[in-house]
Structure formats: structure tokens, C-alpha cells
Amino acid sequence: MTPSVPSPSRRARRRTAAVGVLVAAAVTAAFALTLDDSANRDDTPDPSAVVTGSAAPPPADDSLLALARRDPSDALAVGRADAPVVMIEYSDFQCPFCRQFAQNTEPELLRSYVDRGVLRIEWRNFPLFGEESEQAALAGWAAGQQGRFWEFHDVAYGEPRERNAGEFSEEKLTGMAREAGITDIGRFQADMASDKARSAVREDQEEGFRLGVTSTPAFLINGRPVLGAQPVATFTEAVATAAKAAKAAGR
């Protein structure tokens, strides 16, 4: 009997699947190194991370550049779609260290790199702390549908909020939406409750899980994993290094 030969499309799917497995394995190992380094310095069993040490993060993995969506219509991204450096951020609105990054580090990155066209930041919803985290993620996505995601982001991280204590109830999230300048609250609530919102959040979360992300915040800067609310200098060094490499590669 002559053995069957896979069609070109089947062979292509297999190659794509194989590449996906290799990419996931590479970045999972990189995140694991960062996680292990973090664990050596912080014994707190909390899936939100702050890292204050000076150990160098794992090197960049160019194969992970394809994870950057670079969609000009992406409401959960800021910066030029063709920026030489893309930082993918996996975050949870209930994570205190995500809030620390948003308040202490992100503004400097916006001023120094995003505004100059060097850096693009792409947000990925990665709810880790249960129902209120998931509701906050859905609310953020819904805010983006009216072009107010980053305003909502700033409001949500604007003050300390106790985890899973009603701070991200539907009523509170609606109040945050109003504070963020969202005018069509009915649409916001409908978008938040939609299957499209849940699908978008699930897609982000599953991407993070495939990469081995287990705590927030977690970042990929042109394929270089960085875990936790590290000092500003860690991020500026990573962005500057990525920009230099991109220029050398003609990107």
C-alpha cells in the first residue's frame, strides 16, 4: 500500500505547529530563569512580582518578535505600529506590582521612548486573581472600544485598591469608566458583557500561559523577557539595547 502523503496545507500546519512549540519552549525557559531568580530573592507566594535585584535578564529571542501584533487599530496599545521596539505587557488590574510599574516606570518609558517613536507598548490582559480581575480585564477591553483604554488604565491604577474586596465590582468599574471619560456607558456595559470581550481576554491570557507566564507583571521587549516591577533602569536598558539591535538588523 502506498503511504499517504500529507497535502501542502497539512505540511504547512505541521510546520507552523512545530515552530509554535519551539517558540513557546524557548520563552518558557527564559521566563523560568527570571522566575527562579526572583524566587531566590523573594519568598512571598504571590503571583504578582516585584524584582529589585540587578541580575541580568535572559537574552532576547528574535523568534518571539512575531508575538507583537503591530495592529494600528489596537486600542490596547500605545505608540507607532512600526516602532523598532515593542514591549508586550501581561498585567492584572488587581496586581499591586502592576500598579507600581504603571505609576513609577511606564510614564518614563512613554516620555523617553514612546513619544519619540522608538517604543510601542502592547497590553495583554492576564487576570490572575479571580472574578474581579476578570471583570476588570473585560472593563478595560470595553473602554478600548471607545478609545479610552489608557485613560481607564490610569484610573484603575490611580489608587491602591484592596484585592477581591469589591473594588472592581461592576458598579465600581462603571464609575471608573465615567472617570476615564467614557460617555456611552450603556455601550460600555454591553461591550463588557459581550462574548467578544471574553474571547479577547481569553486570547491574551492563553498567550501568556503558553509562554510560561505565571506572575504579573511580565514583559517581552523585542523577545527579551523581563519579569516584575523592576527599576526604571532595567527597562530603559532593555529598550535601548533592543532599539540598537533593531537598527543593526535594519528593522
Side-chain angles (χ1 to χ4, degrees):
M1 180 181 294
T2 304
S4 62
V5 178
S7 68
S9 61
R10 286 170 60 193
R11 289 196 297 267
R13 285 196 296 270
R14 289 178 181 177
R15 284 197 299 271
T16 301
V19 170
V21 169
L22 291 173
V23 167
V27 76
T28 297
F31 272 124
L33 288 173
T34 312
L35 283 163
D36 288 344
D37 183 63
S38 172
N40 289 335
R41 282 175 276 110
D42 184 0
D43 295 329
T44 304
D46 190 331
S48 54
V50 60
V51 181
T52 57
S54 57
D61 184 339
D62 286 343
S63 65
L64 298 175
L65 290 171
L67 289 174
R69 296 170 184 170
R70 293 187 178 275
D71 179 357
S73 65
D74 186 353
L76 277 62
V78 60
R80 285 173 31 189
D82 63 348
V85 182
V86 176
M87 182 176 78
I88 301 173
E89 173 185 354
Y90 300 89
S91 283
D92 182 318
F93 281 115
Q94 287 203 106
C95 165
F97 300 122
C98 298
R99 176 177 178 270
Q100 181 177 321
F101 171 81
Q103 291 204 322
N104 299 338
T105 302
E106 202 161 40
E108 177 59 32
L109 297 179
L110 291 169
R111 284 191 297 268
S112 298
Y113 297 105
V114 174
D115 290 347
R116 289 169 46 208
V118 175
L119 175 67
R120 174 178 175 84
I121 300 175
E122 295 187 355
W123 171 278
R124 302 286 194 269
N125 279 302
F126 198 73
L128 278 177
F129 299 109
E131 184 177 353
E132 287 194 46
S133 289
E134 293 173 5
Q135 287 295 104
L138 294 169
W141 185 89
Q145 303 314 293
Q146 296 187 54
R148 307 297 289 182
F149 170 77
W150 292 101
E151 290 79 3
F152 177 88
H153 165 283
D154 292 346
V155 171
Y157 284 136
E159 60 184 73
R161 302 180 195 276
E162 187 176 353
R163 189 183 299 168
N164 293 325
E167 297 281 2
F168 291 92
S169 66
E170 185 174 347
E171 180 182 358
K172 293 288 183 67
L173 289 167
T174 299
M176 292 180 204
R178 288 194 174 95
E179 188 176 346
I182 293 173
T183 55
D184 191 340
I185 295 299
R187 178 188 171 191
F188 167 80
Q189 292 172 329
D191 284 338
M192 184 177 163
S194 68
D195 290 340
K196 191 173 181 180
R198 293 191 180 280
S199 177
V201 170
R202 185 168 57 250
E203 179 182 353
D204 285 355
Q205 191 175 40
E206 289 177 352
E207 177 183 285
F209 283 135
R210 285 195 302 270
L211 297 177
V213 177
T214 59
S215 65
T216 53
F219 307 87
L220 282 175
I221 301 176
N222 271 19
R224 177 178 177 176
V226 177
L227 179 71
Q230 298 203 35
V232 173
T234 299
F235 287 93
T236 57
E237 185 274 336
V239 172
T241 298
K244 183 177 180 180
K247 183 176 181 180
R251 292 196 295 267

